[in-house]
Amino acid sequence: MLDPLLSDRDVARILRCARSSLQKSRVRGDGPPWVKLGGLVRYRPEDIAAYIASLPIVRSTSEYPEEVE
């Protein structure tokens, strides 16, 4: 059985961000992987889980990794 694909609204809710942030990350290519299904943008649940797992774990703001330019 296939997992249902997630909409950008679903992913924005999961990541607690605005849909416009997801749209901008698609343009920049730095957000979670996505698929185009006809005219729709959808996300695979396993890709969202992997994206979250890949985010840096920090314990304080002084430890936050440098931004890559």
Side-chain angles (χ1 to χ4, degrees):
M1 174 103 183
L2 295 175
D3 287 333
L5 296 174
L6 303 170
S7 70
D8 59 351
R9 289 179 198 266
D10 298 328
V11 174
R13 197 171 318 124
I14 291 167
L15 298 179
R16 291 185 167 57
C17 69
R19 286 177 58 209
S20 61
S21 295
L22 285 174
Q23 293 164 347
K24 290 174 187 172
S25 71
R26 287 196 301 269
V27 171
R28 290 189 310 260
D30 62 358
W34 53 280
V35 295
K36 189 88 175 211
L37 187 62
L40 304 173
V41 171
R42 293 294 183 253
Y43 296 84
R44 294 182 180 113
E46 62 270 18
D47 290 337
I48 300 305
Y51 175 75
I52 293 170
S54 74
L55 296 174
I57 297 172
V58 295
R59 299 186 195 286
S60 75
T61 55
S62 62
E63 292 180 6
Y64 199 75
E66 295 287 326
E67 290 289 322
V68 177
E69 294 181 20

